[in-house]
Amino acid sequence: MRPIRIALTKGRLEKNSITLFEEMGLDCSELKNKGRRLVLPVDKYEVVLAKAADVITYVEHGVCDIGIVGKDTIAENNRSFYEVTDLGFGKCKFALATKSGTEFWGGYDVKCIATKYPNVARKFFESKGMDVRIIKIEGSVELAPLLKLSDAIVDIVETGATIKENGLEVIEDIMPISARVIVNMASMKLRKEEIESFLTDIEKAKEAL
Ligand code: PRP
């Protein structure tokens, strides 16, 4: 049988995840010297480095048993897996922002919202019973209101610096975000002991972070 395979989100969550694995007593030397490799042995586990959206695809399809991914990606993609642990790092939030000093809520015209997260945005405005037009942008969403493409954005805010430096302001918080552990549904049953032992170790280690 292959080792338990963990899909790890490349980039922002990588450093804290390595600290967490080391706290669990796992040998991360290969992962720390990965070069251009994408599949790495981490002790008795195998770690796969992937983009956030692909982490959940690999876990949903069972080619990875466990995933470490942000709640933002989970919230945007309605997919099947267990979300088992909040790791408490990678903290940020989804927020609604406009150009500073703009009156967003008033008026009868249908507002235009730019976002990388159309499903999150749609749900947010549905919960308010508000009809909006959503435009999908791939990155640097802050540009859209500056170029007058949209009235507002739904985006991730971490330090708030990007918003501030581009003359925007948050007008409503939508949802807190942090890194989560997800588990494939079949693996949870078929490799129960190994997964449970990993999750127990992760719970202990995260307290020490
Ligand atoms: C995210 C987000 C904001 C920025 C917020 O972008 O979309 O642009 O981080 O961070 P701050 O509040 O600390 O300034 P990311 O770096 O993921 O890239 P993107 O703009 O290409 O989506």
Side-chain angles (χ1 to χ4, degrees):
M1 209 171 357
R2 66 160 170 78
I4 288 284
R5 200 175 281 147
I6 304 162
L8 175 58
T9 303
K10 281 196 286 192
R12 283 183 194 227
L13 302 182
E14 226 175 296
K15 201 164 149 250
N16 279 321
S17 300
I18 293 173
T19 310
L20 181 75
F21 291 159
E22 287 189 320
E23 194 58 49
M24 290 164 76
L26 304 178
D27 175 4
C28 293
S29 47
E30 297 274 352
L31 186 55
K32 285 161 102 176
N33 297 298
K34 63 181 181 336
R36 308 292 285 183
R37 286 177 297 165
L38 299 169
V39 183
L40 299 129
V42 170
D43 231 288
K44 59 184 171 184
Y45 301 109
E46 193 167 77
V47 167
V48 171
L49 290 165
K51 275 187 84 163
D54 298 335
V55 165
I56 63 174
T57 299
Y58 292 138
V59 171
E60 184 181 39
H61 288 276
V63 295
C64 293
D65 308 289
I66 295 170
I68 296 182
V69 66
K71 181 69 182 174
D72 51 328
T73 306
I74 297 173
E76 178 61 19
N77 298 276
N78 182 26
R79 307 278 277 276
S80 300
F81 43 73
Y82 296 116
E83 183 186 326
V84 291
T85 310
D86 183 344
L87 291 173
F89 59 75
K91 280 191 179 166
C92 50
K93 63 184 179 186
F94 275 128
L96 176 68
T98 56
K99 266 172 99 171
S100 298
T102 320
E103 176 47 53
F104 176 76
W105 299 111
Y108 292 99
D109 53 325
V110 173
K111 298 288 192 299
C112 179
I113 310 298
T115 187
K116 255 170 86 175
Y117 301 87
N119 294 325
V120 170
R122 195 169 297 115
K123 254 192 229 155
F124 172 68
F125 286 104
E126 268 171 19
S127 77
K128 293 192 168 289
M130 190 171 162
D131 193 19
V132 295
R133 190 159 66 91
I134 293 170
I135 298 182
K136 171 103 194 281
I137 299 286
E138 291 299 329
S140 299
V141 179
E142 294 83 2
L143 271 173
L146 300 181
L147 301 178
K148 297 196 168 62
L149 173 69
S150 75
D151 298 294
I153 59 171
V154 166
D155 199 19
I156 290 174
V157 176
E158 191 180 356
T159 61
T162 313
I163 290 273
K164 197 169 168 225
E165 289 182 25
N166 289 290
L168 306 175
E169 65 180 351
V170 169
I171 54 168
E172 196 160 321
D173 288 350
I174 298 179
M175 185 199 289
I177 297 169
S178 56
R180 307 294 161 100
V181 178
I182 60 172
V183 177
N184 172 264
M185 288 178 154
S187 304
M188 192 69 119
K189 294 191 184 71
L190 300 173
R191 305 193 69 171
K192 193 167 185 285
E193 270 177 35
E194 293 159 285
I195 304 258
E196 276 179 359
S197 132
F198 177 84
L199 294 176
T200 308
D201 289 352
I202 229 172
E203 281 300 328
K204 280 188 213 142
K206 112 186 169 183
E207 300 304 321
L209 278 191

